[in-house]
Amino acid sequence: MSAHTITVAGVAVDTRHWIGGERVASAQTFPDVSPIDGSTIGEISRGTAMEATAAVAAAKAAFPAWAATSRAERARVLHAIADGVEKRIEELAIVETTDNGALLRSHRRGVMPRVAHNFRFFADWLLKLEHEDFETRGHSNHVSWDPAGPCVLITPWNAPLMLASWKVAPALAAGDTVVLKPAEWSPLTASLLADIAAEAGLPAGVLNVVQGYGSEIGDALTSHPDVRRISFTGSVPTAKRIAESAAANLTPLSLELGGKSPLLVFADADLDLAVGLAVEQYDNAGQVCLAGTRLLVEESVAEEFTRRFVEKASALKQGDPRDEATDVGPNIHPRQLEKIDGFVQRAVAAGARAVIGGHRGDGQYYAPTLLTDVAQDSEIVQEEVFGPVLTLQTFADEDEAVRLANGTRFGLAATVATGDPERAERVTARLVAGTVWVNCFFVRDLRAPFGGSRLSGVGREGGTWSFDFYCDVKNTVTAPNGWTNHG
């Protein structure tokens, strides 16, 4: 076994970068620490501008051949990657749980199978991607999707491999080459993806993985003149820095950013369903950008809703995410835990009441928390916490519900619980959000557009929208009867 290989729950993981089809070590490393118990998993190669430049160069060199590869062959390779993921679901699941603390049962049953599905979906969508030809005064118009070039894909730590696959799969399907930069708090499954892609026959340089701190490697990636697309999922402040960096080259951006999503509960809703949806917002220890962290409940049912919510939420088991019985695991990093607790303590000091939780547990665990008596303009209502912290406000009617729901700088998602389909139609039409769920949560079909409004993002991905971003969309207009026969 290489000196650069670590063993995570029996799974070998290479800690070096993957550039141009080869493993590349850096002069320095950074520690990767498990949020489960604070132990150091291993030392990871710490990339600099040198590795970033090398990765972009490898992607640029590999681009012409991959762009010229037939759709059928690209789709075949993506299906082979999906096969590789499916063969290693158990390994990927335990490595990612160790690395970022999310529930092992969720990784086994939902997340890793979804990673494979993402590759299969875009492989299949590629084969049927087309626009019907149309005529303009007898001239024919033909729309095509041309590969754009090397792409930089920057992914977060809360669902590392799944969110990477949402970007890597359509980019590769489009004929682009990729430099993937995983979050430094959860880099391991990106390294395993590089192995899986190579075993699936993806040519060298088509997928590159570079690790390190964004402050040290990020600008070299996002400001590089040879990069033709940048896709980022993460915080608003980081997105602004990326946008500034990309501006010199006018590099197109896709940004999926923070959320402060509302969950509206009307008096005519099935309260058991609504409570279940609300408690579900503690999934992944609240580290979900789409989470409906602002519970907005109609006044007449607020007391009953709160009683049922407290009963159900208090039954959640918090602990080791490797335990099948665990419902809420740890938060990713001590710095994130400090941030979460700071939000809660400032809110309580300002007059909020913690109905449940409101405190840390042992290690990197934060108790699931519900805060009431919060003002609409308060920090806890307006800013993304990214932890297991929900607020509850009440409303008198639809107008007030919509006003409160839309009353932040964000617009990523919204959830509506109601028993009246006409009300659902009225309210959803007025909500500012990229996705609205009615009497359900977190149902995502890759055929649908996905993205945020306001500070929650720029652009849409999913289905043809992904190809619109990762490709240069071309229209070819041909004159009627304009051919000269030289034969």
Side-chain angles (χ1 to χ4, degrees), residues 17-337:
H17 313 284
W18 178 253
I19 300 174
E22 296 181 350
R23 288 292 176 178
V24 176
S26 292
Q28 293 184 296
T29 62
F30 65 92
D32 183 27
V33 177
S34 175
I36 298 173
D37 55 12
S39 62
T40 298
I41 303 170
E43 293 291 329
I44 312 299
S45 279
R46 181 173 170 176
T48 64
M50 181 173 69
E51 287 85 2
T53 301
V56 174
K60 181 181 180 181
F63 173 68
W66 183 244
T69 300
S70 70
R71 287 189 178 192
E73 176 60 12
R74 276 186 255 151
R76 186 196 67 77
V77 173
L78 263 65
H79 275 293
I81 293 173
D83 292 341
V85 170
E86 288 177 343
K87 289 176 183 176
R88 302 185 69 176
I89 280 178
E90 184 64 25
E91 295 179 9
L92 292 166
I94 189 60
V95 168
E96 190 145 296
T97 290
T98 305
D99 204 16
N100 88 328
L103 299 185
L104 180 58
R105 73 182 191 209
S106 296
H107 280 140
R108 283 173 170 159
R109 300 170 193 170
V111 176
M112 296 309 164
R114 182 59 187 256
V115 170
H117 168 74
N118 291 343
F119 280 99
R120 295 200 192 283
F121 173 87
F122 285 105
D124 293 340
W125 199 265
L126 169 65
L127 297 180
K128 61 185 180 183
L129 180 67
E130 63 178 353
H131 190 291
E132 183 179 352
D133 289 354
F134 56 97
E135 287 194 2
T136 305
R137 298 189 302 276
H139 297 65
S140 68
N141 291 260
H142 176 73
V143 176
S144 58
W145 286 262
D146 295 350
C151 301
V152 166
L153 311 179
I154 304 173
T155 53
W157 44 259
N158 58 322
L161 191 56
M162 184 171 71
L163 294 179
S165 67
W166 279 355
K167 301 176 188 295
V168 173
L172 295 182
D176 295 340
T177 51
V178 167
V179 178
L180 172 63
K181 160 63 175 74
E184 59 266 26
W185 288 350
S186 56
L188 299 183
T189 47
S191 180
L192 293 177
L193 178 62
D195 294 336
I196 291 170
E199 292 165 6
L202 190 70
V206 175
L207 172 64
N208 306 275
V209 179
V210 290
Q211 302 148 160
Y213 298 118
S215 59
E216 297 177 351
I217 197 172
D219 186 66
L221 291 172
T222 56
S223 66
H224 200 293
D226 291 332
V227 171
R228 296 313 313 136
R229 296 291 187 274
I230 299 170
S231 180
F232 169 73
T233 298
S235 72
V236 172
T238 301
K240 290 181 178 179
R241 291 196 294 271
I242 290 172
E244 290 175 0
S245 180
N249 302 307
L250 292 180
T251 307
L253 298 167
S254 177
L255 305 173
E256 195 266 282
L257 309 176
K260 195 67 180 174
S261 301
L263 193 164
L264 292 76
V265 179
F266 288 92
D268 57 19
D270 178 332
L271 276 195
D272 285 337
L273 170 67
V275 167
L277 292 173
V279 173
E280 192 178 346
Q281 308 310 308
Y282 291 129
D283 182 47
N284 202 19
Q287 298 168 142
V288 178
C289 57
L290 294 161
T293 56
R294 296 186 294 129
L295 308 182
L296 307 177
V297 184
E298 193 161 357
E299 291 172 352
S300 61
V301 295
E303 183 176 347
E304 178 64 13
F305 173 90
T306 303
R307 184 189 68 77
R308 295 191 200 185
F309 177 92
V310 169
E311 180 180 355
K312 191 173 185 67
S314 297
L316 295 173
K317 179 180 178 182
Q318 186 167 33
D320 192 321
R322 296 167 294 193
D323 185 339
E324 280 280 318
T326 296
D327 300 304
V328 182
N331 290 98
I332 184 73
H333 193 275
R335 198 161 73 214
Q336 184 66 17
L337 196 72

Side-chain angles (χ1 to χ4, degrees), residues 316-379:
L316 295 173
K317 179 180 178 182
Q318 186 167 33
D320 192 321
R322 296 167 294 193
D323 185 339
E324 280 280 318
T326 296
D327 300 304
V328 182
N331 290 98
I332 184 73
H333 193 275
R335 198 161 73 214
Q336 184 66 17
L337 196 72
E338 287 287 340
K339 176 185 173 185
I340 294 166
D341 193 49
F343 272 114
V344 172
Q345 299 313 319
R346 289 191 298 274
V348 171
R353 181 171 67 94
V355 179
I356 59 169
H359 58 83
R360 304 181 191 209
D362 295 330
Q364 286 175 211
Y365 295 80
Y366 203 88
T369 296
L370 177 66
L371 300 176
T372 60
D373 302 330
V374 293
Q376 177 67 13
D377 62 354
S378 63
E379 178 192 56

